[in-house]
Amino acid sequence: MDPIAPNSEQDVIRFTPAASSVDFVHLLRQSYWTEQQLEEILPLMIPKATSYELITALTQHTATAKRQLIRLIHVFDSMQERVAASKSKYIAKCLDEIHSLDGKYALGYPMDNAIILLCQKMLSHEIESLSSLRIEAVMHNEEVLASYLSAAIEEEKTAHAILTEIALQSIYFDQAV
């Protein structure tokens, strides 16, 4: 089951005030900002990619970023917190690198590889952030919230694995030619 939205009254997240620490909310807001940025930047990277597999992966992850935003909105609502974004300095640096790709890399394998590496850096950071949020939710016995975060983590890990596979295929293909 993909827990994007609560399915029944039983599934509605009830996040206790004790669990809503300042650090948790800050990390949640950074994750929200990151997903907003990914939703905007991924479609801009698609025309730069040349590999069909990479284009497909970027397109699919754009949809994943939208699902992640919906999940995070549900988490904010459950905490009775205002939905807000907080800039992540690490992701901001990655985004700056993405914006400067055009002049640095030739189209084809060099550009595809640069896109893959930058996306993997951002995904790794998101996996780490979401894992921290999940640990906090588990510590406060917030099982439904933990399942939301687990689903988000799995989606990010899947996207990371797909990008790794694409990169490896490119390397092996290049060596075979």
Side-chain angles (χ1 to χ4, degrees):
M1 181 176 111
D2 187 355
I4 291 177
N7 294 328
S8 68
E9 187 62 35
Q10 234 178 359
D11 289 339
V12 174
I13 301 172
R14 302 284 185 230
F15 202 84
T16 58
S20 60
S21 70
V22 173
D23 291 338
F24 186 90
V25 172
H26 180 70
L27 195 54
L28 186 64
R29 288 184 171 153
Q30 283 186 335
S31 289
Y32 185 77
W33 183 82
T34 298
E35 292 303 329
Q36 284 180 319
Q37 299 310 303
L38 283 171
E39 185 182 23
E40 290 176 19
I41 198 81
L42 289 172
L44 299 177
M45 292 191 316
I46 292 170
K48 296 176 185 183
T50 57
S51 158
Y52 171 77
E53 292 84 2
L54 180 56
I55 292 167
T56 302
L58 294 173
T59 302
Q60 289 174 344
H61 201 67
T62 301
T64 299
K66 290 177 185 180
R67 281 194 306 275
Q68 301 285 18
L69 284 170
I70 292 168
R71 278 193 190 103
L72 291 169
I73 289 168
H74 287 298
V75 173
F76 279 114
D77 287 346
S78 73
M79 296 173 59
Q80 299 179 350
E81 286 282 341
R82 184 174 61 86
V83 178
S86 180
K87 187 174 184 177
S88 165
K89 290 179 184 177
Y90 180 81
I91 297 297
K93 284 174 46 180
C94 291
L95 294 171
D96 289 343
E97 289 180 49
I98 287 172
H99 288 296
S100 68
L101 285 177
D102 287 332
K104 288 184 179 178
Y105 302 97
L107 287 179
Y109 177 74
M111 180 65 80
D112 287 355
N113 191 46
I115 291 170
I116 289 170
L117 291 175
L118 285 169
C119 286
Q120 285 182 316
K121 282 172 58 174
M122 289 188 294
L123 288 170
S124 294
H125 181 77
E126 264 305 279
I127 291 166
E128 188 178 314
S129 297
L130 292 168
S131 295
S132 296
L133 289 168
R134 186 187 169 285
I135 289 168
E136 186 78 20
V138 168
M139 285 176 26
H140 290 92
N141 297 318
E142 300 293 345
E143 294 171 18
V144 176
L145 176 56
S147 73
Y148 270 50
L149 295 168
S150 292
I153 292 165
E154 286 308 310
E155 284 183 341
E156 300 291 356
K157 285 181 177 179
T158 299
H160 193 285
I162 289 169
L163 291 173
T164 299
E165 186 177 319
I166 293 168
L168 289 174
Q169 286 174 355
S170 297
I171 291 168
Y172 292 128
F173 178 77
D174 197 37
Q175 288 179 352
V177 173

